[in-house]
Amino acid sequence: MSNAKTKMNKVRNIGIIAHVDAGKTTTSERILYYTGKTHRIGSVDDGTTVTDWMDQERERGITIVSAAITAEWDGHVINIIDTPGHIDFTAEVQRCLRVLDGGIVVFDAVQGVEPQSETVWRQSDGYKVPRICFINKMDRVGADFDRAVQMIADRLGANPVKMQLPMGAEDLFAGVVDLLTMQAITWQDKLGAQREYSDIPAELMEAAQAARSEMIEKISETDDDLMEMYLEGEEPTLEQLKVALRKACIANDINPVFCGTALKNKGVQPVLDAVIDYLPSPLDVPAVKGTIPRTEDEIERKPSDNEPLAALAFKLVTDPYMGKLTYFRVYSGVIEQGTRIENTSKGKKERVGRLIRMYADRREEVKSVGAGDIAAVLGFKHTFTGDTLSDSDNQIVLESIDFPEPVISISVEPKSSSDLDKMGEALHKLAEEDPTFKVESDESGQTIISGMGELHLEILVDRMMREFNVQANIGTPRVSYREAMTKAVEKVDLRYKKQSGGRGQFAHVTLSMEPGEPGTGITFENKIVGGSIPREFIPSVESGARAAAESGVLAGYPVTDVAIVLYDGSYHDVDSSQMAFELAGSMAFKDGFKRGKPVLQEPMMKLDVTIPEEYLGDIMGDLSSRRGNIAGMTQMGNAQVVQAIAPLSEMFGYSSDLRSRTQGRGVFTMEFDSYGEVPRNIADEILKGSNS
């Protein structure tokens, strides 16, 4: 086997993903400690973690920016990405899943599968990322390993296979029983660095044997040879079980489940072993597919250093000391320091300055980065999230990363004229980093920033003030409304004619418009036959219609989900121009939209509110007063989880309101669900406000 292949065999690109507060960052910190990358264990509560290095992360105890860290374990290189769990930072999770080969999904042993765990699991399903599960916080009051595993099966539709049994729970949690080797593993030293193996305690033997039989049965179901052995009553060897389990895990047929307590330093090393034993190396992942620029022919690149270069930029970070860092994943070929490569998404050349391997807050320069690896480069000028990097003479464009549209906006105003330029630069840099953060000016010249939620914008503003030293006043949050039509308009016939001495302007378009499928945006189809409008004027009609849709018709909000078909028109040999057809396209769109029974739409949010039983009536009444629809309720221990859909406009400040109604015991998560029609009486108020 070639050296390059051996090297790639020993690489794992994994993400640590979970619901907010399940213990992802604590788990990452333990992994760094046990792999020898840090010499002390960081704590989220003390604000001393390595991966959460931003001030805002340490103060809030949450992960905001996914940190990429390289660690080594058992002769393997593990690139770990610690992703945020908060739904406002869903783009961070999404872009990391795009470049990962496998994931560790962390669950809270008390809460089990939480709302955000479901979202992340679904996102991982979308990218077909193989996962192992770690049931964390086994030392907490109410920890229940079996219940958590059952929830993974029921709520996520997964196939969890217990690889361990916990020895005790809550404050009696002592270690785990390894069902493959049938040994007990305990951690006696305070930092949990040394594993101690012993015989399984007699009182656990029966349960361990039953769990092992179930594990062997589930693994055998995925492998014909093992199934035959199982049916004949033969016991597979340890090696046979591991090989079959690896294959099933990579095929996403099985999710091996482990347990422990990262905070108390118990159970992390077996998870690291599992990353190496069961999660894929870059060689186990299908060859990456892309297209050749200009021809759009599909090609693929195998994970090899000898193939032409194909890499994907998945993240930008503005470092206050070093400048712009671009994280990338190399799928094939090699990126070398000092060479020139092609950004095929932009059609621009980039020079590879300093190549850097990141150890969270520490950096190490490297000369080259090969296939299957993740690293960062300093000094790229044109490359942003989702861009493809390749050889100039062997170009490929990989599939980019799709991000959701922002749902909430606020205005920001610099406090002094000296802050004005600084603010523009700061917002520009933050928008480069985060594809779900948008910056624009409204008609009055005010700067409007938009994002995925209140917390998202709060943190970006905080970063602007601290990292870029900008003083600014912040306006009240505003909802990103949309305009949509509800009725099809079969014929919009518009003639644009202007005579002003000399050459005139003439354009005539006939089009139809109808409501599009949700999420399709504005679609434009050209059905002109026989050249009634010359081909060179068609794009002008489309850009005119799209420009009108952007600035809205009812109240200046963007129009969404409209299908336009251009099917007739006429032109004048002398007076027709691109500008005339652009104006005609814009006017026809506005005319048709007004006739299509337009309505205002608002972002509807999916809520999961977890509260003690006694507050149920009050909370449900409050949600109804916020125009919320209760979609369901689930009992969880002595708490109730209320699922509801409510308009974002009614949910501002909900976190503090919920805390005061439940004496600080209620928690909720909220994520964008869809756009829904605004009730007429509220729409009238909004329209009055925007037109006044």
Side-chain angles (χ1 to χ4, degrees), residues 352-618:
V352 181
R354 291 163 65 191
L355 278 176
I356 291 162
R357 197 178 269 295
M358 305 295 291
Y359 296 104
D361 61 350
R362 194 166 60 76
R363 306 173 172 85
E364 199 174 278
E365 266 193 61
V366 288
K367 291 279 176 271
S368 67
V369 180
D373 226 335
I374 288 176
V377 68
L378 197 61
F380 274 177
K381 290 189 169 61
H382 312 290
T383 303
F384 296 98
T385 297
D387 285 357
T388 303
L389 303 164
S390 81
D391 293 337
S392 299
D393 41 6
N394 265 309
Q395 295 190 14
I396 183 172
V397 179
L398 303 176
E399 185 192 336
S400 192
I401 309 173
D402 288 332
F403 293 108
E405 284 296 308
V407 295
I408 177 174
S409 314
I410 53 174
S411 60
V412 287
E413 224 171 70
K415 280 194 174 165
S416 67
S417 53
S418 65
D419 286 314
L420 184 62
D421 292 342
K422 277 199 296 186
M423 185 176 93
E425 188 191 340
L427 291 175
H428 175 67
K429 283 183 174 167
L430 291 169
E432 280 184 351
E433 279 184 31
D434 184 345
T436 58
F437 176 56
K438 300 269 190 291
V439 183
E440 55 206 348
S441 296
D442 66 6
E443 316 74 60
S444 61
Q446 242 187 348
T447 301
I448 306 294
I449 57 173
S450 311
M452 298 308 296
E454 281 185 278
L455 180 68
H456 185 204
L457 290 183
E458 198 182 306
I459 283 171
L460 285 161
V461 167
D462 198 16
R463 286 187 62 193
M464 175 184 83
M465 290 176 168
R466 287 194 206 192
E467 289 172 35
F468 300 95
N469 212 4
V470 176
Q471 294 306 307
N473 296 317
I474 311 302
T476 51
R478 296 197 286 193
V479 174
S480 295
Y481 291 104
R482 295 276 188 275
E483 299 179 10
M485 62 192 298
T486 55
K487 175 175 153 259
V489 177
E490 280 171 22
K491 185 175 181 182
V492 183
D493 193 67
L494 193 128
R495 278 170 196 274
Y496 173 68
K497 210 171 176 180
K498 197 172 180 193
Q499 207 66 42
S500 53
R503 192 176 155 185
Q505 294 281 3
F506 177 83
H508 171 214
V509 297
T510 309
L511 46 87
S512 69
M513 290 166 66
E514 64 178 21
E517 288 295 313
T520 52
I522 305 293
T523 60
F524 183 90
E525 196 182 344
N526 170 28
K527 283 197 174 168
I528 296 278
V529 284
S532 56
I533 298 176
R535 198 180 301 152
E536 67 266 25
F537 294 143
I538 306 289
S540 303
V541 179
E542 181 177 355
S543 68
R546 286 187 183 279
E550 253 172 55
S551 54
V553 179
L554 278 181
Y557 296 110
V559 173
T560 189
D561 304 336
V562 175
I564 307 164
V565 177
L566 174 66
Y567 62 86
D568 203 1
S570 60
Y571 71 104
H572 188 280
D573 283 341
V574 179
D575 290 351
S576 284
S577 66
Q578 287 181 339
M579 191 176 90
F581 273 97
E582 196 166 318
L583 281 164
S586 169
M587 290 156 78
F589 180 87
K590 286 180 180 170
D591 181 29
F593 188 75
K594 281 178 189 159
R595 285 160 47 197
K597 291 214 167 150
V599 293
L600 264 192
Q601 291 187 327
E602 61 185 339
M604 303 299 286
M605 309 304 280
K606 196 164 84 184
L607 283 145
D608 281 86
V609 189
T610 307
I611 43 169
E613 191 104 45
E614 63 262 36
Y615 301 109
L616 189 60
D618 185 20

Side-chain angles (χ1 to χ4, degrees), residues 29-260:
E29 288 296 324
R30 299 314 182 261
I31 289 173
L32 288 185
Y33 178 72
Y34 299 132
T35 54
K37 284 294 157 202
T38 52
H39 301 291
R40 61 171 177 77
I41 291 185
S43 155
V44 173
D45 297 336
D46 300 344
T48 55
T49 58
V50 173
T51 51
D52 285 352
W53 51 271
M54 281 167 54
D55 291 342
Q56 293 86 344
E57 294 180 307
R58 291 185 167 176
E59 283 167 17
R60 294 163 196 262
I62 60 170
T63 301
I64 296 163
V65 178
S66 45
I69 318 131
T70 300
E72 279 140 32
W73 183 255
D74 194 18
H76 290 66
V77 170
I78 306 179
N79 293 316
I80 303 163
I81 298 191
D82 177 28
T83 61
H86 201 288
I87 189 64
D88 282 13
F89 307 103
T90 182
E92 279 290 330
V93 182
Q94 198 131 328
R95 56 170 150 205
C96 296
L97 287 172
R98 172 73 171 78
V99 296
L100 293 175
D101 298 331
I104 301 172
V105 187
V106 183
F107 297 94
D108 182 324
V110 183
Q111 304 291 343
V113 175
E114 296 174 88
Q116 183 64 36
S117 326
E118 291 189 50
T119 306
V120 178
W121 195 272
R122 281 197 301 274
Q123 284 176 321
S124 307
D125 279 343
Y127 288 111
K128 296 186 171 59
V129 176
R131 282 144 277 174
I132 58 178
C133 304
F134 178 53
I135 312 278
N136 188 26
K137 303 195 177 183
M138 282 302 301
D139 57 316
R140 277 188 57 200
V141 176
D144 188 333
F145 178 67
D146 290 335
R147 181 170 151 274
V149 174
Q150 195 54 49
M151 284 176 84
I152 292 171
D154 296 344
R155 284 213 185 168
L156 305 176
N159 184 15
V161 174
K162 294 177 195 170
M163 305 306 296
Q164 299 173 334
L165 283 187
M167 291 162 63
E170 303 183 355
D171 53 359
L172 297 175
F173 178 71
V176 298
V177 172
D178 183 336
L179 297 176
L180 274 175
T181 60
M182 287 300 271
Q183 284 178 302
I185 309 174
T186 52
W187 288 264
Q188 303 299 343
D189 62 313
K190 194 161 184 280
L191 294 175
Q194 296 304 317
R195 286 182 264 190
E196 296 187 16
Y197 296 89
S198 57
D199 292 337
I200 298 170
E203 68 274 14
L204 283 174
M205 200 55 169
E206 199 179 317
Q209 281 167 338
R212 179 178 164 83
S213 300
E214 190 188 327
M215 173 193 79
I216 292 174
E217 185 182 347
K218 281 194 161 185
I219 296 171
S220 301
E221 281 169 2
T222 65
D223 185 285
D224 294 343
D225 295 343
L226 286 193
M227 197 64 204
E228 211 170 295
M229 288 176 72
Y230 179 76
L231 293 171
E232 287 170 9
E234 262 185 80
E235 172 102 351
T237 65
L238 180 64
E239 199 46 46
Q240 283 172 318
L241 282 171
K242 280 185 147 183
V243 167
L245 185 55
R246 176 179 181 80
K247 210 167 89 189
C249 185
I250 290 172
N252 260 319
D253 292 333
I254 272 182
N255 301 107
V257 184
F258 300 82
C259 66

Side-chain angles (χ1 to χ4, degrees), residues 589-663:
F589 180 87
K590 286 180 180 170
D591 181 29
F593 188 75
K594 281 178 189 159
R595 285 160 47 197
K597 291 214 167 150
V599 293
L600 264 192
Q601 291 187 327
E602 61 185 339
M604 303 299 286
M605 309 304 280
K606 196 164 84 184
L607 283 145
D608 281 86
V609 189
T610 307
I611 43 169
E613 191 104 45
E614 63 262 36
Y615 301 109
L616 189 60
D618 185 20
I619 293 308
M620 287 181 55
D622 179 49
L623 284 171
S624 298
S625 73
R626 294 171 185 269
R627 296 196 281 127
N629 284 326
I630 309 296
M633 282 189 299
T634 321
Q635 182 88 25
M636 194 186 270
N638 58 358
Q640 284 279 2
V641 182
V642 180
Q643 287 105 18
I645 303 279
L648 175 65
S649 57
E650 303 284 351
M651 297 310 297
F652 294 134
Y654 185 61
S655 52
S656 51
D657 198 22
L658 178 67
R659 276 199 297 270
S660 65
R661 283 175 187 272
T662 58
Q663 298 179 349

